[in-house]
Amino acid sequence: TYYYAGGIYQARLLELEFAYDFWFAFSEKGKFYSEAWDEWSDLIDHIHYIQLFQPNDPLYLRAGLLQDITFGKGLLVAHYDNAVLLPFEKKSGLQICIRRPKFRADAFINDIGYPRVMGLHTRVYPDDRLRVSATIVADVDMYSSIRDRDGDSYPDLADPEPDVYNSPSDSVIIAEKPPSLEDIDRKVIVGSSINAGWTIIKSKNFRTDISGEMAMLSNLGTGVSAPELILRFGRVSIGAGMDFQTPGFFDGFIDGNYERDRGYLQEESDGSYIITGRAQQLDETEGWLYGWNNSFSIDYPDYVVLRTTFRDLYREDTRNKRLGIYLKNKYPWTPYVYSSDFFIEQKNVEHLFQKKTDGQQWGFSIQVRPHHTIRVNARYRERYDDDNLDGEISSGEIERNFNGNVIVYGEYWLKKYIEWRREKRAERRAEKTSQLTQ
């Protein structure tokens, strides 16, 4: 358990915003968490964000913490975050968005200092009824998140001598037989997709669209989400469609858990370790999948946005229900609560909400303004990992993370301090003048 504290320096010049996170952590025994400051790239990772313009502007650029990135229907990229456990596993990514009347492009990389995961999504509008989009994503080293300080290909967690470079012929390696990153056959994964939509009916308060998307990974696994019918009533939309997937593919390949699951060490019952991750999950995904999906959303960007997604899928004899609920509130219900959001993602479960499942996560955040110059942010995440693969989530397989910070706009308080000093000086001068007069 680590406790951390620090401060965020934030500045703004016209449309450019900058925030830098100075934080330090200590264990219960007083041990300093040095991994946050032991490499040059850590200086970049402590950038909370650099932002130019706003998301709906013609050009939007953000460097730092990336959250909730989805491309198309989410077959390849669905609610991706480049930080799972704040602040300890935060990366400084880059997101670029271009908005034009008949063209839109979104791109991201997960880490500016060490880019490994990246994606590009483009959308064109030939006319007011037709839209076509394409996506390409890649992870050029799925196991780069596994730490190997001495660079001998044996991960630190399994390496009998993590600070000593060992060769395969060393006696300690022969005796312990740790897994090696050199034994991994496939470290690169690439995916692409195409999406098309057509507006059948369009009126002032009602609209009907039909769309579809097809995606393929470099292992030839393919997924199709088509056809999908979407009915829009003003700000409310309802959608339903069909899903088909071949062996070696599952939707939402790059999701909110991807930075944690792309490559990691798994401890076996005998105490040994194996290297696994999303590539192995793809290899284990056998049989053809079919099913249906539905979605519901209420979209008032300046007030509240609610989105729900549900998939009921069948792969051979296995039934898989997946649910996602995402709520973002920006309406100032009180003068003090500035914004809040909540999400839950649950998959691989027969009875939704009744059983914790592997990979399930939920969380919330809230932003409070006790004063117009003070902003308090709180963020909570809870995630479940079935590490021993017994189908049950025990107390030791629950990971909780709370992140809170206070941002004070110092210019206002500096002016107040200067005014207070001036008043005090004026009072002292007046007091001296009064004494001389007497």
Side-chain angles (χ1 to χ4, degrees):
T1 301
Y2 281 89
Y3 300 96
Y4 84 98
I8 292 179
Y9 174 76
Q10 187 177 52
R12 177 167 183 155
L13 176 63
L14 300 178
E15 296 296 331
L16 178 66
E17 296 182 26
F18 172 79
Y20 197 84
D21 195 352
F22 297 93
W23 67 268
F24 303 89
F26 295 87
S27 69
E28 294 175 316
K29 298 181 179 180
K31 181 182 178 182
F32 177 64
Y33 187 81
S34 60
E35 295 179 13
W37 297 97
D38 60 355
E39 298 179 5
W40 72 267
S41 59
D42 291 331
L43 297 176
I44 298 178
D45 291 339
H46 278 263
I47 296 176
H48 197 65
Y49 69 85
I50 300 174
Q51 180 173 308
L52 180 63
F53 303 116
Q54 299 300 316
N56 293 325
D57 289 337
L59 174 65
Y60 170 70
L61 185 148
R62 181 183 176 96
L65 179 64
L66 308 182
Q67 294 181 295
D68 198 19
I69 297 177
T70 299
F71 289 166
K73 296 183 179 298
L75 287 180
L76 293 178
V77 181
H79 305 288
Y80 169 75
D81 294 351
N82 70 337
V84 178
L85 182 63
L86 284 176
F88 300 98
E89 297 180 5
K90 175 183 171 296
K91 296 177 173 63
S92 290
L94 177 66
Q95 182 181 9
I96 301 174
C97 303
I98 299 174
R99 307 282 190 275
R100 303 300 298 166
K102 293 185 176 297
F103 175 78
R104 175 174 174 173
D106 299 88
F108 77 89
I109 59 174
N110 70 325
D111 191 352
I112 299 174
Y114 197 62
R116 289 299 177 265
V117 184
M118 55 203 72
L120 171 65
H121 177 73
T122 60
R123 184 184 299 180
V124 295
Y125 305 85
D127 56 49
D128 60 352
R129 290 182 178 270
L130 176 64
R131 55 200 174 276
V132 181
S133 65
T135 298
I136 183 168
V137 297
D139 188 340
V140 298
D141 186 355
M142 301 180 71
Y143 304 93
S144 61
S145 58
I146 298 178
R147 293 184 64 87
D148 177 22
R149 293 195 299 269
D150 54 17
D152 59 3
S153 82
Y154 303 109
D156 291 347
L157 194 60
D159 193 340
E161 297 178 336
D163 295 314
V164 178
Y165 184 91
N166 298 114
S167 66
S169 60
D170 289 351
S171 58
V172 67
I173 299 300
I174 296 175
E176 297 290 338
K177 297 180 180 179
S180 173
L181 292 169
E182 296 295 333
D183 296 334
I184 301 298
D185 295 330
R186 186 174 68 245
K187 296 183 179 181
V188 179
I189 190 78
V190 179
S192 60
S193 70
I194 56 173
N195 184 310
W198 176 261
T199 301
I200 303 173
I201 302 174
K202 186 176 182 180
S203 63
K204 183 178 180 180
N205 296 314
F206 178 73
R207 176 172 164 176
T208 303
D209 297 286
I210 188 169
S211 62
E213 182 173 7
M214 182 177 72
M216 178 179 290
L217 296 172
S218 53
N219 66 342
L220 302 184
T222 304
V224 178
S225 181
E228 181 180 19
L229 184 67
I230 302 176
L231 305 179
R232 305 179 191 274
F233 307 88
R235 298 281 186 172
V236 179
S237 66
I238 303 172
M242 302 296 296
D243 284 302
F244 306 91
Q245 296 172 17
T246 70
F249 186 93
F250 53 82
D251 57 278
F253 177 72
I254 297 179
D255 60 7
N257 290 322
Y258 187 73
E259 288 295 340
R260 174 64 59 84
D261 294 345
R262 51 196 287 253
Y264 61 95
L265 287 183
Q266 179 176 296
E267 186 175 6
E268 301 292 89
S269 58
D270 60 357
S272 63
Y273 290 92
I274 62 171
I275 299 173
T276 186
R278 285 292 167 94
Q280 287 72 25
Q281 293 176 16
L282 288 177
D283 294 338
E284 295 169 0
T285 305
E286 301 177 348
W288 286 74
L289 178 146
Y290 65 94
W292 66 282
N293 66 79
N294 65 57
S295 62
F296 174 80
S297 69
I298 301 175
D299 197 342
Y300 287 87
D302 295 331
Y303 298 94
V304 63
V305 175
L306 170 65
R307 291 189 175 91
T308 67
T309 60
F310 177 78
R311 278 186 164 97
D312 195 354
L313 309 173
Y314 298 83
R315 194 183 291 273
E316 293 185 335
D317 297 331
T318 303
R319 185 179 183 183
N320 186 351
K321 292 182 178 180
R322 302 183 186 180
L323 175 68
I325 301 175
Y326 311 90
L327 175 64
K328 293 184 178 182
N329 170 55
K330 291 186 177 182
Y331 183 76
W333 298 98
T334 73
Y336 306 105
V337 178
Y338 184 68
S339 66
S340 61
D341 65 73
F342 168 85
F343 82 95
I344 182 170
E345 295 176 350
Q346 186 168 9
K347 58 184 179 180
N348 300 326
V349 65
E350 284 283 344
H351 306 288
L352 294 170
F353 299 121
Q354 299 180 21
K355 182 180 179 181
K356 298 181 178 68
T357 61
D358 181 50
Q360 177 183 343
Q361 63 175 353
W362 69 275
F364 68 88
S365 64
I366 186 170
Q367 186 177 106
V368 180
R369 282 189 171 179
H371 187 270
H372 69 88
T373 63
I374 301 175
R375 196 166 74 233
V376 180
N377 299 325
R379 179 181 185 265
Y380 179 81
R381 294 289 186 271
E382 189 168 299
R383 172 189 162 92
Y384 312 124
D385 291 295
D386 188 12
D387 295 326
N388 58 13
L389 304 178
D390 64 352
E392 301 292 334
I393 302 298
S394 63
S395 59
E397 296 172 326
I398 301 176
E399 182 180 273
R400 298 180 177 91
N401 173 235
F402 175 80
N403 173 261
N405 60 66
V406 179
I407 299 176
V408 179
Y409 294 93
E411 183 180 1
Y412 171 85
W413 296 104
L414 179 60
K415 290 180 179 179
K416 285 291 185 181
Y417 174 73
I418 293 174
E419 291 175 0
W420 176 79
R421 289 291 302 271
R422 288 173 177 173
E423 290 175 357
K424 288 297 182 181
R425 290 175 182 173
E427 290 177 359
R428 287 196 293 268
R429 285 196 297 267
E431 185 177 347
K432 289 180 180 180
T433 301
S434 177
Q435 292 175 353
L436 291 174
T437 302
Q438 292 177 358

